[in-house]
């Protein structure tokens, strides 16, 4: 499911953007999508802080509560993979938009062709990410396909592997932790690693690393050996730097 947030304090402009998004995906029926509308940029940011995430965010730049450029910087700090499209009143804001890493900007009033060009840039990035899926074996012979990017971490508890994701918690009953990390390395090289016995962690889901533990973006903490702090920190920094270069930031 492709999740899109559109944020504009002007309700008429916001409705127009949402209608053009619907029109775009009528001609791209291979995608399932959801559009959530916001008139408050602070509410959008609060939802990100609370664990919600969007693949694409369409942001007005000039709003009473906050500048869209400031909101975009904070969103990228929480989820660097979110694609930002700015809505601006003037081409003068184009430099700011690209400095932040926006995939496109659209001037008001927003017309369909302009938004189509922006979405044409943003949607393929989601499509590439969505192809990497981990299949886990659950009870009653149920197979569950999980987008790798949606995995926070996996922990081994007894004979179960508990997979913590954006959609909830799933239990893998057949594959070992060793088998899972090998499969994840095949699907998305370098993104997952084992910081401590019994855990697999998504590097993109890490918020902070301290000498004693890893803090995940969704709030969980994972203990680490004090002597492993520098090694884990270096792995995290190397991955973050490589990801930023790949994204062109």
């Amino acid at each position: 499911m492709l999740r899109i947030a559109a944020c504009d304090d002007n309700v008429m402009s916001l409705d127009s953007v949402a209608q053009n998004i619907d029109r775009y995906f009528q001609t791209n029926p291979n995608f399932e999508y959801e559009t959530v509308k916001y008139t408050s940029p602070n509410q959008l940011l609060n939802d990100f802080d609370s664990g919600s995430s969007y693949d694409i965010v369409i942001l007005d730049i000039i709003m009473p509560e906050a500048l869209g450029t400031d909101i975009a910087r904070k969103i990228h700090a929480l989820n660097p993979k979110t694609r930002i499209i700015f809505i601006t009143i003037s081409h003068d804001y184009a430099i700011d938009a690209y400095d932040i890493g926006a995939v496109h900007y659209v001037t008001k009033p927003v017309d369909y062709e302009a938004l189509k060009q922006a979405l044409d840039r943003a949607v393929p990035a989601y499509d590439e990410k969505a192809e990497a899926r981990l299949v886990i074996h659950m009870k009653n012979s149920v197979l569950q396909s999980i987008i790798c990017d949606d995995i926070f971490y996996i922990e081994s508890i007894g004979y179960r592997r508990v997979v913590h994701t954006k959609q909830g918690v799933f239990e893998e009953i057949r594959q070992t932790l060793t088998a899972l990390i090998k499969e994840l390395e095949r699907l998305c090289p370098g993104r997952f690693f084992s910081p401590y016995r019994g855990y697999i962690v998504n590097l993109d889901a890490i918020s902070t690393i301290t000498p004693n533990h890893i803090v995940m973006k969704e709030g969980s903490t994972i203990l680490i050996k004090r002597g492993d702090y520098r090694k884990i920190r270096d792995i995290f920094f190397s991955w973050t730097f490589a990801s930023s270069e790949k994204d062109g930031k």
Side-chain angles (χ1 to χ4, degrees):
M1 172 71 75
L2 175 60
R3 303 193 73 229
I4 303 170
C7 183
D8 191 328
D9 62 295
N10 184 309
V11 176
M12 290 184 64
S13 176
L14 184 61
D15 288 343
S16 175
V17 168
Q19 289 168 9
N20 282 324
I21 292 172
D22 289 340
R23 180 179 172 185
Y24 178 85
F25 285 104
Q26 286 173 3
T27 62
N28 292 271
N30 292 333
F31 288 94
E32 293 184 8
Y33 75 99
E34 172 190 27
T35 303
V36 180
K37 296 188 292 184
Y38 291 86
T39 55
S40 165
N42 288 332
Q43 183 59 55
L44 170 62
L45 191 59
N46 286 340
D47 285 354
F48 265 92
D49 281 332
S50 300
S52 296
S53 188
Y54 292 97
D55 301 291
I56 299 171
V57 173
I58 303 173
L59 269 174
D60 187 17
I61 289 183
I62 303 298
M63 292 179 282
E65 290 184 6
L67 287 175
T69 46
D70 291 338
I71 296 297
R73 289 187 180 94
K74 293 175 181 178
I75 287 173
H76 270 166
L78 293 167
N79 187 351
K81 291 186 177 296
T82 297
R83 302 292 172 173
I84 304 293
I85 297 171
F86 281 120
I87 303 171
T88 75
I89 58 174
S90 167
H91 290 287
D92 294 340
Y93 291 99
I95 294 176
D96 287 340
Y98 287 121
D99 281 348
I100 294 167
V103 296
H104 207 72
Y105 73 98
V106 179
T107 55
K108 288 186 173 182
V110 177
D111 63 37
Y112 173 69
E113 289 302 323
L115 188 61
K116 178 183 180 299
Q117 288 183 8
L119 289 171
D120 280 344
R121 290 188 178 186
V123 169
Y126 165 81
D127 191 32
E128 178 183 353
K129 177 180 68 177
E131 289 179 353
R133 289 176 174 266
L134 177 69
V135 177
I136 64 171
H137 303 76
M138 302 175 65
K139 293 180 180 179
N140 301 319
S141 300
V142 174
L143 295 178
Q144 177 71 40
S145 176
I146 302 171
I147 296 174
C148 292
D149 195 60
D150 289 348
I151 298 172
F152 297 127
Y153 65 97
I154 303 172
E155 61 179 327
S156 184
I157 303 175
Y159 295 100
R160 299 174 297 133
R161 265 57 60 194
V162 182
V163 185
H164 299 261
T165 77
K166 293 177 183 179
Q167 286 71 41
V169 177
F170 303 92
E171 290 187 7
E172 159 65 56
I173 63 171
R174 286 180 53 187
Q175 300 177 90
T176 65
L177 215 61
T178 300
L180 287 171
I181 198 166
K182 285 182 178 178
E183 178 64 8
L184 286 166
E185 180 63 21
R186 183 186 70 82
L187 291 168
C188 33
R191 184 185 298 178
F192 290 85
F193 82 117
S194 179
Y196 194 72
R197 183 177 179 181
Y199 285 93
I200 298 172
V201 172
N202 183 350
L203 286 160
D204 284 337
I206 293 175
S207 173
T208 308
I209 299 174
T210 77
N212 299 312
H213 56 257
I214 295 170
V215 181
M216 307 302 293
K217 289 179 180 177
E218 43 78 64
S220 298
T221 58
I222 297 171
L223 293 177
I224 60 174
K225 292 180 180 178
R226 191 174 184 85
D228 289 342
Y229 166 65
R230 290 183 180 275
K231 178 182 70 175
I232 293 171
R233 182 197 61 183
D234 290 347
I235 290 171
F236 175 64
F237 284 162
S238 295
W239 171 257
T240 302
F241 180 76
S243 296
S244 297
E245 282 196 327
K246 184 178 179 181
D247 290 340
K249 296 174 186 169

